[in-house]
Amino acid sequence: MKIAIIYYSATGTNHQMAKWAAEAAKSNGDHDVRFRKLKETAPMEAIESNDAWKKHYQETQDVEIVVLDDLDWADAIIFSIPTRYGNLPSQLQAFFDTTGGLWSKGKLVNKVVSGMTSAQNPHGGQETTLLTLYKSMFHWGAIVAAPGYTSEELFKTGGNPYGFSSDGGVDDLNEQSKTSITHQVKRTISIAESIKGGMSKA
Amino acid sequence: MKIAIIYYSATGTNHQMAKWAAEAAKSNGDHDVRFRKLKETAPMEAIESNDAWKKHYQETQDVEIVVLDDLDWADAIIFSIPTRYGNLPSQLQAFFDTTGGLWSKGKLVNKVVSGMTSAQNPHGGQETTLLTLYKSMFHWGAIVAAPGYTSEELFKTGGNPYGFSSDGGVDDLNEQSKTSITHQVKRTISIAESIKGGMSKA
Amino acid sequence: MKIAIIYYSATGTNHQMAKWAAEAAKSNGDHDVRFRKLKETAPMEAIESNDAWKKHYQETQDVEIVVLDDLDWADAIIFSIPTRYGNLPSQLQAFFDTTGGLWSKGKLVNKVVSGMTSAQNPHGGQETTLLTLYKSMFHWGAIVAAPGYTSEELFKTGGNPYGFSSDGGVDDLNEQSKTSITHQVKRTISIAESIKGGMSKA
Amino acid sequence: MKIAIIYYSATGTNHQMAKWAAEAAKSNGDHDVRFRKLKETAPMEAIESNDAWKKHYQETQDVEIVVLDDLDWADAIIFSIPTRYGNLPSQLQAFFDTTGGLWSKGKLVNKVVSGMTSAQNPHGGQETTLLTLYKSMFHWGAIVAAPGYTSEELFKTGGNPYGFSSDGGVDDLNEQSKTSITHQVKRTISIAESIKGGMSKA
């Protein structure tokens, strides 16, 4: 499988989640994995006004920025993005806004997609951010691989049926987070293998 | 203000939340408060197969069942309902399905509405259940009084901007829950007073 | 494939849509198809006060009522339901409320699900009703087969990426409606075949 | 009332809708109206590759770009934005992503907000885009002024209870569109007057 991990992270939480997703993808079969960040569109003065953001921004300079070909290429896509008032961060939305060409050619059809998110409050966007993502995926004709309650492990990280979500910062992520993320990635890959094996891409 | 508190509760959680809402409404001015349960539509055999449900069902026999007039009468309505896979319980939906007559006469317009919910998992419907409720309220022409982050207290109960939500059973509710509920009710009443004072009901 | 077509219809629109879905399923391979209605839970006096509803109710007495086994049995499920203020009708929600036992045993995992809907107004629940359905499907661990824009035909029936929807009554359905429904059903079956072929049901 | 009309438009549809909203606001009392566009963030090469987009971009160079003070200043805010796969365009999301400072000081609380949208397909984001907007408004503590079905006129433009929406381009807008928009704006102002009159801004 060709698996694209696409994330946006200001201070590192979703970066760590995405790294674990990439690790799970690589250790779960002979897969090609692309680890990509969304292009930062915030002004430098905003970034520099926040030490943690600035530090993370500098530390991840080497991560490749996602391009349209990554979507075209991938069989499965895993997004990891923080909430913005229950919606997607503009960095992801800005990327989506450039996908019209792929969309109109049917190149996004049958992509298998799964999402992870984070919000500062336990009930402040953990659910709705992922549903916002998945709604757009239906427009693409993509197939959503939500974890549901397909593993007992998921109950230990908040029981989010739409995808793993964190209600803390990067320091609050732990082995249990990794376990849930790993399960979600494995399930996504299984679904992608099924879809790729069974469907002719329309 | 005329305030209707409408709840559904199988094992007591939303009943307790609704009671605190009623208490807050009564102690926050000279208001008329109607405390109403949704009609139980589950078969008796389901209720009797669950001790906690059966006990709560019997203990709340005296609570009046909500009727259409309660909606017509109210200036403000506070709903408290558990999630059902992220959506409304059928007991509430069944009641909504009978409101076509009121709706077509514009009798639901400008009602000020706020919602509370519960789900077993921290990220298993806490947010989406309330958005499902509010979506229908837009169809009514009602005005949603979501708490947002209008009090520091709300951060202590999960920071749900759509309304108070519980991720435990009735025994997990505590003074902090009551504080957040009280804030939400007060805010709802303030908005209802503003709307009633300022709008001619269309 | 084992395909369950489950519908609720008061005055016949979703019944016709469901019939076309069943026809498409049967003509698209050697499939077992169960055509099932949701149990009517509205009071008889409501039904009898509406001639079209009463007529349809009587005409469809012979249609089997859906039971839990139909969900357990099916590889793919197609729902056809009208909107109720942007949400699901209580007849469907009431059925969902009985699925806890199947859910807790993981029996709803990897079901492939697609939905159709109707609303009186072109923008009065056509989209949101299906998203409400799909949200619950994520809780089940089901896999949503939304049509997206996978056929040019879909643009001729309103371009609803979440599923076919009608903004008229049964008399407004036409050959183009049938074409879109047929496409959606075929796609759902293809996805279900892929999933069944590729996944061990967890 | 202080009313901010904030729009994003590539080829002119939402610009026209916003203009009618501004006209309605000005003619409906002695109000201060700010007419503002969202900052274009798409690359110039994208704009220049589309004649209609380029033309509109050039023709609206004189429209002021919205700034945070416009949110702080306003009693009522009317957004007009096209869908992007059922979600908000990144131009609006990018603006929202800069509002954290206002949000944390409670400066967005009790703003009265209403939205309009457009999508190429009749069922391709007309509803869900506005719900995506309103969800974020709940995070702000804003009060959503959705039109519901508060006027018979609304049924003539698709009966979208969440706000006016267009399923064509600028040339498909007509007097009936203007009538629905005017109703929505008047209702928004009435609600804003009620809220401003009745609430102390928290």
Side-chain angles (χ1 to χ4, degrees):
Chain A
M1 290 290 104
K2 295 168 184 167
I3 302 163
I5 316 279
I6 300 172
Y7 78 95
Y8 175 75
S9 193
T11 58
T13 309
N14 283 276
H15 174 254
Q16 180 60 66
M17 288 154 58
K19 275 174 65 178
W20 281 335
E23 198 177 308
K26 285 173 186 165
S27 66
N28 188 42
D30 186 23
H31 305 302
D32 283 337
V33 177
R34 291 188 184 176
F35 183 78
R36 298 289 185 266
K37 69 181 177 194
L38 286 151
K39 188 179 174 183
E40 181 58 271
T41 54
M44 276 309 298
E45 65 186 33
I47 297 167
E48 293 188 343
S49 70
N50 178 324
D51 285 345
W53 193 356
K54 183 180 177 183
K55 181 164 180 287
H56 181 72
Y57 179 79
Q58 291 173 338
E59 285 174 355
T60 54
Q61 281 301 302
D62 290 346
V63 179
E64 275 190 62
I65 291 172
V66 66
V67 294
L68 290 174
D69 178 67
D70 297 318
L71 298 180
D72 192 16
W73 167 87
D75 299 308
I77 307 168
I78 292 161
F79 291 102
S80 192
I81 36 98
T83 194
R84 292 292 180 264
Y85 302 123
N87 291 336
L88 305 179
S90 60
Q91 289 84 0
L92 180 55
Q93 193 64 53
F95 182 56
F96 282 175
D97 288 2
T98 69
T99 59
L102 287 176
W103 173 85
S104 67
K105 289 176 204 138
K107 296 281 194 180
L108 302 171
V109 168
N110 293 341
K111 302 293 180 182
V112 172
V113 174
S114 202
M116 305 188 289
T117 193
S118 66
Q120 289 180 310
N121 292 291
H123 310 316
Q126 312 272 344
E127 301 171 4
T128 62
T129 307
L130 294 174
L131 290 179
T132 301
L133 172 67
Y134 293 159
K135 179 173 53 176
S136 284
M137 296 301 97
F138 293 143
H139 286 245
W140 285 11
I143 290 167
V144 173
Y149 294 96
T150 52
S151 164
E152 288 297 319
E153 297 295 333
L154 303 177
F155 291 98
K156 300 177 192 164
T157 51
N160 191 328
Y162 315 124
F164 176 80
S165 67
S166 165
D167 50 343
V170 63
D171 295 336
D172 298 296
L173 295 170
N174 54 35
E175 278 303 305
Q176 191 60 51
S177 315
K178 188 176 175 180
T179 300
S180 286
I181 291 169
T182 299
H183 173 78
Q184 183 174 348
V185 170
K186 281 187 182 176
R187 176 169 164 78
T188 303
I189 293 173
S190 292
I191 293 171
E193 287 174 334
S194 302
I195 293 295
K196 193 174 189 180
M199 304 281 287
S200 56
K201 298 291 172 78
Chain B
M1 290 289 102
K2 295 170 183 165
I3 303 162
I5 316 280
I6 300 172
Y7 78 95
Y8 175 75
S9 192
T11 57
T13 310
N14 283 276
H15 174 254
Q16 179 61 65
M17 289 155 58
K19 274 173 66 178
W20 281 336
E23 197 177 311
K26 285 173 186 165
S27 66
N28 188 43
D30 186 21
H31 304 302
D32 283 338
V33 176
R34 290 188 185 175
F35 183 77
R36 298 290 184 265
K37 70 181 176 194
L38 286 152
K39 189 179 173 183
E40 181 57 272
T41 55
M44 277 308 300
E45 65 186 34
I47 297 167
E48 293 189 342
S49 71
N50 178 325
D51 285 343
W53 193 357
K54 184 180 178 183
K55 183 165 180 287
H56 180 73
Y57 179 78
Q58 292 172 336
E59 287 174 353
T60 55
Q61 282 301 304
D62 290 344
V63 178
E64 276 190 61
I65 291 173
V66 67
V67 293
L68 290 174
D69 178 67
D70 296 319
L71 299 179
D72 192 15
W73 167 86
D75 299 308
I77 306 168
I78 292 162
F79 291 102
S80 191
I81 37 96
T83 194
R84 291 294 180 263
Y85 302 123
N87 291 338
L88 305 179
S90 60
Q91 289 83 0
L92 180 56
Q93 193 64 54
F95 182 55
F96 282 176
D97 288 1
T98 69
T99 59
L102 287 177
W103 173 85
S104 68
K105 290 176 203 138
K107 297 280 195 182
L108 303 170
V109 168
N110 294 342
K111 302 293 180 184
V112 172
V113 173
S114 201
M116 305 189 289
T117 193
S118 66
Q120 288 180 311
N121 291 292
H123 310 316
Q126 313 272 346
E127 301 171 3
T128 62
T129 307
L130 294 175
L131 291 179
T132 300
L133 172 67
Y134 293 160
K135 179 173 53 177
S136 284
M137 295 302 97
F138 293 144
H139 286 245
W140 285 11
I143 291 167
V144 173
Y149 295 95
T150 52
S151 163
E152 288 297 320
E153 297 296 333
L154 303 177
F155 291 98
K156 299 176 192 166
T157 51
N160 191 328
Y162 315 124
F164 176 80
S165 67
S166 165
D167 50 343
V170 63
D171 296 337
D172 297 296
L173 294 170
N174 55 34
E175 279 301 306
Q176 191 60 51
S177 315
K178 188 177 175 180
T179 300
S180 286
I181 291 169
T182 299
H183 172 78
Q184 183 173 348
V185 171
K186 282 187 182 178
R187 176 170 164 76
T188 302
I189 293 173
S190 292
I191 293 172
E193 287 174 332
S194 302
I195 293 295
K196 193 174 188 181
M199 304 281 286
S200 57
K201 298 295 171 75
Chain C
M1 289 289 105
K2 295 170 185 164
I3 303 163
I5 317 280
I6 300 172
Y7 78 96
Y8 175 74
S9 193
T11 58
T13 309
N14 283 276
H15 174 254
Q16 180 61 65
M17 289 155 58
K19 274 173 66 178
W20 281 337
E23 199 177 308
K26 285 173 186 165
S27 67
N28 189 43
D30 186 23
H31 304 302
D32 283 337
V33 177
R34 291 188 184 176
F35 183 77
R36 298 289 185 267
K37 68 181 178 195
L38 286 152
K39 188 180 175 184
E40 181 57 271
T41 55
M44 275 311 297
E45 64 185 35
I47 297 167
E48 294 188 342
S49 70
N50 178 323
D51 285 344
W53 193 357
K54 184 180 177 182
K55 182 165 181 285
H56 180 72
Y57 179 78
Q58 291 173 337
E59 285 175 355
T60 55
Q61 282 301 304
D62 290 346
V63 179
E64 275 190 61
I65 291 172
V66 66
V67 294
L68 290 174
D69 178 66
D70 296 318
L71 298 179
D72 192 16
W73 168 86
D75 299 308
I77 307 168
I78 292 162
F79 291 102
S80 191
I81 37 100
T83 193
R84 292 294 180 264
Y85 303 122
N87 290 339
L88 305 179
S90 60
Q91 288 84 359
L92 180 56
Q93 193 64 54
F95 181 55
F96 282 176
D97 288 2
T98 69
T99 58
L102 287 176
W103 173 84
S104 68
K105 288 176 205 139
K107 297 280 193 181
L108 302 170
V109 168
N110 293 341
K111 301 293 180 183
V112 173
V113 173
S114 202
M116 305 189 289
T117 193
S118 66
Q120 289 180 310
N121 292 291
H123 310 317
Q126 312 273 346
E127 303 171 2
T128 60
T129 308
L130 293 174
L131 291 179
T132 301
L133 172 67
Y134 293 159
K135 178 173 52 175
S136 284
M137 296 301 98
F138 294 143
H139 285 246
W140 284 12
I143 290 167
V144 174
Y149 294 96
T150 53
S151 164
E152 288 296 320
E153 297 296 333
L154 302 178
F155 291 99
K156 299 175 192 167
T157 51
N160 192 328
Y162 315 124
F164 176 79
S165 66
S166 165
D167 49 345
V170 64
D171 295 338
D172 298 295
L173 294 169
N174 54 35
E175 278 302 306
Q176 191 61 52
S177 314
K178 188 177 175 180
T179 300
S180 286
I181 290 170
T182 300
H183 172 77
Q184 184 173 348
V185 170
K186 281 188 183 177
R187 176 169 164 76
T188 303
I189 293 174
S190 292
I191 293 172
E193 287 174 334
S194 301
I195 293 296
K196 192 173 188 182
M199 304 282 286
S200 56
K201 298 294 171 76
Chain D
M1 288 291 103
K2 296 170 183 164
I3 304 163
I5 315 281
I6 300 173
Y7 78 95
Y8 175 75
S9 192
T11 58
T13 309
N14 283 277
H15 174 254
Q16 180 61 65
M17 289 155 58
K19 273 174 67 178
W20 281 336
E23 198 178 309
K26 284 173 186 164
S27 66
N28 188 43
D30 186 24
H31 304 302
D32 283 338
V33 177
R34 291 189 184 175
F35 183 77
R36 298 289 185 268
K37 70 181 177 194
L38 286 152
K39 188 179 174 184
E40 181 57 273
T41 54
M44 275 311 297
E45 66 186 34
I47 296 167
E48 294 189 341
S49 70
N50 178 324
D51 285 344
W53 192 357
K54 184 180 178 183
K55 183 166 179 287
H56 181 72
Y57 179 79
Q58 291 172 338
E59 285 175 355
T60 54
Q61 281 301 302
D62 290 345
V63 178
E64 275 190 62
I65 291 172
V66 66
V67 294
L68 290 174
D69 178 66
D70 297 318
L71 299 179
D72 192 14
W73 168 85
D75 300 307
I77 306 169
I78 292 162
F79 291 102
S80 192
I81 37 98
T83 193
R84 291 293 180 265
Y85 302 122
N87 291 337
L88 305 180
S90 61
Q91 288 83 1
L92 180 56
Q93 193 64 54
F95 182 55
F96 282 175
D97 288 3
T98 69
T99 58
L102 287 176
W103 173 83
S104 68
K105 289 175 205 140
K107 297 280 194 181
L108 302 170
V109 168
N110 293 342
K111 302 293 180 184
V112 172
V113 173
S114 201
M116 305 189 289
T117 193
S118 66
Q120 289 180 310
N121 292 292
H123 310 316
Q126 313 273 346
E127 301 171 4
T128 60
T129 307
L130 293 175
L131 291 179
T132 301
L133 172 66
Y134 294 159
K135 179 173 52 176
S136 284
M137 295 302 97
F138 293 143
H139 286 245
W140 284 13
I143 289 167
V144 173
Y149 295 95
T150 52
S151 163
E152 288 297 319
E153 298 295 333
L154 302 177
F155 291 97
K156 299 176 191 167
T157 51
N160 191 328
Y162 314 125
F164 176 80
S165 66
S166 165
D167 50 343
V170 64
D171 296 337
D172 297 297
L173 295 171
N174 54 34
E175 278 302 306
Q176 191 61 51
S177 314
K178 188 176 174 180
T179 300
S180 286
I181 291 170
T182 299
H183 173 77
Q184 184 174 348
V185 171
K186 281 187 182 177
R187 177 170 163 77
T188 303
I189 293 174
S190 293
I191 293 172
E193 287 174 333
S194 302
I195 293 296
K196 193 173 188 182
M199 303 282 286
S200 56
K201 299 293 173 73

